[in-house]
Amino acid sequence: MDDKAFLQYALKQSFAQPTINSADGVLWDKAASSDDEYLFFDTRRTDLLPFVLPLENLQKYHHAIAHDIRNCPDLYREYDMYKHDLSENITIPENIPEIAAARQQLDMITVNRQSAQKKKIVATLVPVKFITKIKAIRQDYQNSRLKIQDILNSHPEAVNLSILDDFCRLYLQITEKFKWYHPFWRSHQKNLQYYLNEAAQIMKSHHPLPDDFFATRTFAGENGLFRRKSALVCTLKLRQMVILLQKIADEPQLLTLAQTLLVSHDKYNRDLVQYRNDKKIDNTAAISSLRHNEQILFEKFAYISYLDGVRFAFEHKYLNESPQPRHPALPTVSPLNELKMVAKIVSESRTIVTAGKIAQIYNQALTEYDKIRQITDKYLKS
């Protein structure tokens, strides 16, 4: 495999199979994902709706990869040096005291010239700004979420009503597709209503949903040619709406309102007005705005986590699969000098400037996160 073919393979695999550390707050649920989308969940707040990454985006990433493979001579220069370092295969003893500090300071798993050179390869594609900001973003995100939760916890009834409003909005969105001129969608309507009513009824009986609830509540045509898209959309919307119902599982009145919506929108509106008046809830709009902002904040953070997972997989997994022959490992005779060389290479990686198509994807993700973060600050200060 020549250099171009290998680098293209490594990058495509990285975008398709990112390495995401769930300890950072985002879980890529491979089991719940499908051939059409990846689903990412917040590991600390399971009540947030999943972030959905359409796999049609991979086509966009493949175009970016092809562009950068053609137009990034720095990538090949750094890869040539990496192959040279791989071939020499010089190692640093793991038992010297300085190794632990070097791992921390240089952000490395294995401290050697090969690993340092991989950082230079990555930096020709992924903006250094992204790599250096990701840790601060993770901490900032968790701090913001804690502040948001403090506010929401102070207004539980408004939060519950806001959740019901979200359920209503999602249900009306999907039922707009259930028209006579959309026969594939209309054929799913009864199933969706039945499954939602069933979920609400199970919750009202104070029983958890079966572990296989979603796996066994299917829509006709999921594996077909013509009805597949509509069936998969209904599957995703069912999951999202049931997640919302689970947030209000301890509120039978709200579950009953949700069931009423499935039968009559007009009756739902009348009963909802009565419920608001009885509970004297008047701040639902403000709480909804904060909750929706929190959801968007999570989605932008999840996307950044995905992109960092791509970067990590490329650096730490797929570049390791380089077909370059290696000599047997050769321990250095001068560990401290070798450490200085490694530190120098890592330092050089932090000065590389890239402006390729992949870099644009990363920069845009940072921009979008910064925008929602500024809006979040306004909510928290108001």
Side-chain angles (χ1 to χ4, degrees):
M1 187 183 295
D2 63 23
D3 291 354
K4 177 181 177 181
F6 170 71
L7 289 168
Q8 189 151 333
Y9 155 82
L11 283 165
K12 285 186 176 181
Q13 286 297 106
S14 300
F15 276 100
Q17 298 292 328
T19 302
I20 297 176
N21 186 354
S22 60
D24 292 331
V26 174
L27 169 69
W28 173 28
D29 193 331
K30 295 184 182 181
S33 299
S34 71
D35 293 338
D36 291 271
E37 60 203 11
Y38 287 167
L39 297 182
F40 299 87
F41 294 83
D42 188 299
T43 59
R44 295 177 173 88
R45 284 282 313 287
T46 56
D47 57 337
L48 279 173
L49 296 178
F51 164 60
V52 180
L53 179 68
L55 288 196
E56 62 188 30
N57 283 23
L58 286 181
Q59 196 62 40
K60 168 186 170 185
Y61 305 146
H62 289 172
H63 287 313
I65 291 167
H67 174 275
D68 287 3
I69 288 290
R70 291 193 307 268
N71 299 284
C72 187
D74 290 348
L75 171 63
Y76 293 95
R77 185 183 66 248
E78 301 301 346
Y79 182 62
D80 281 341
M81 183 57 70
Y82 175 57
K83 290 192 298 180
H84 171 76
D85 291 337
L86 277 181
S87 179
E88 287 193 335
N89 203 11
I90 295 173
T91 63
I92 301 174
E94 290 288 317
N95 58 356
I96 66 172
E98 293 82 1
I99 281 287
R103 279 199 202 96
Q104 181 72 23
Q105 293 167 5
L106 304 177
D107 189 27
M108 303 181 78
I109 297 174
T110 303
V111 181
N112 55 36
R113 255 189 271 180
Q114 303 92 294
S115 296
Q117 188 60 31
K118 286 192 293 184
K119 291 188 177 297
K120 293 189 76 174
I121 295 173
V122 171
T124 66
L125 301 166
V126 178
V128 172
K129 178 175 67 172
F130 182 95
I131 298 170
T132 56
K133 286 184 68 173
I134 189 66
K135 289 184 179 179
I137 288 175
R138 289 193 189 106
Q139 187 60 55
D140 172 81
Y141 172 75
Q142 298 305 334
N143 290 340
S144 297
R145 291 291 307 283
L146 288 173
K147 293 175 182 177
I148 291 171
Q149 280 310 296
D150 284 343
I151 296 172
L152 297 181
N153 289 341
S154 301
H155 304 279
E157 289 187 334
V159 168
N160 288 338
L161 205 52
S162 170
I163 292 168
L164 181 64
D165 285 347
D166 286 352
F167 175 88
C168 178
R169 175 177 50 81
L170 281 176
Y171 179 74
L172 294 178
Q173 283 177 355
I174 192 68
T175 53
E176 275 298 305
K177 297 180 180 291
F178 296 144
K179 304 294 187 182
W180 65 268
Y181 46 83
H182 289 304
F184 295 155
W185 291 98
R186 186 161 179 77
S187 66
H188 300 316
Q189 183 173 11
K190 288 185 179 179
N191 279 345
L192 182 65
Q193 291 172 330
Y194 182 83
Y195 297 154
L196 290 171
N197 187 68
E198 184 184 18
Q201 202 59 38
I202 292 172
M203 293 175 202
K204 285 168 72 173
S205 66
H206 305 292
H207 288 92
L209 291 181
D211 291 338
D212 63 351
F213 182 85
F214 294 109
T216 55
R217 274 67 178 178
T218 59
F219 295 88
E222 285 186 356
N223 298 315
L225 178 62
F226 299 106
R227 300 169 68 183
R228 186 170 183 272
K229 181 176 181 181
S230 61
L232 290 175
V233 170
C234 286
T235 298
L236 174 61
K237 294 302 180 184
L238 172 66
R239 178 182 290 273
Q240 291 177 331
M241 285 187 279
V242 169
I243 288 174
L244 289 170
L245 291 179
Q246 288 176 313
K247 298 180 186 183
I248 54 175
D250 295 329
E251 299 293 332
Q253 282 183 277
L254 295 181
L255 292 174
T256 299
L257 279 169
Q259 290 175 302
T260 300
L261 175 65
L262 303 177
V263 178
S264 169
H265 190 196
D266 289 339
K267 187 174 189 310
Y268 167 80
N269 285 333
R270 292 194 299 270
D271 292 353
L272 180 62
V273 170
Q274 186 63 49
Y275 180 85
R276 288 178 187 273
N277 292 337
D278 291 345
K279 295 288 186 178
K280 297 181 173 58
I281 304 172
D282 58 4
N283 61 339
T284 306
I287 291 299
S288 289
S289 295
L290 182 59
R291 284 187 57 253
H292 295 159
N293 178 84
E294 180 186 32
Q295 178 69 38
I296 298 171
L297 183 68
F298 163 65
E299 291 172 1
K300 300 304 182 186
F301 176 72
Y303 184 52
I304 279 180
S305 297
Y306 162 74
L307 291 178
D308 191 53
V310 171
R311 188 272 315 167
F312 189 96
F314 182 58
E315 178 178 340
H316 297 288
K317 182 178 180 181
Y318 293 107
L319 279 176
N320 292 342
E321 298 179 13
S322 170
Q324 177 67 20
R326 281 95 154 152
H327 293 304
L330 178 64
T332 179
V333 296
S334 181
L336 296 184
N337 284 339
E338 190 69 15
L339 275 178
K340 289 179 182 178
M341 175 63 71
V342 169
K344 179 176 181 293
I345 296 171
V346 173
S347 178
E348 290 172 352
S349 76
R350 294 169 179 169
T351 65
I352 293 174
V353 177
T354 180
K357 296 290 186 181
I358 293 174
Q360 290 175 19
I361 293 170
Y362 279 79
N363 284 327
Q364 182 63 30
L366 284 178
T367 298
E368 291 180 3
Y369 180 82
D370 286 341
K371 285 181 181 177
I372 190 62
R373 185 63 188 82
Q374 291 172 19
I375 295 172
T376 301
D377 270 344
K378 292 179 181 178
Y379 278 116
L380 295 176
K381 292 175 181 177
S382 62

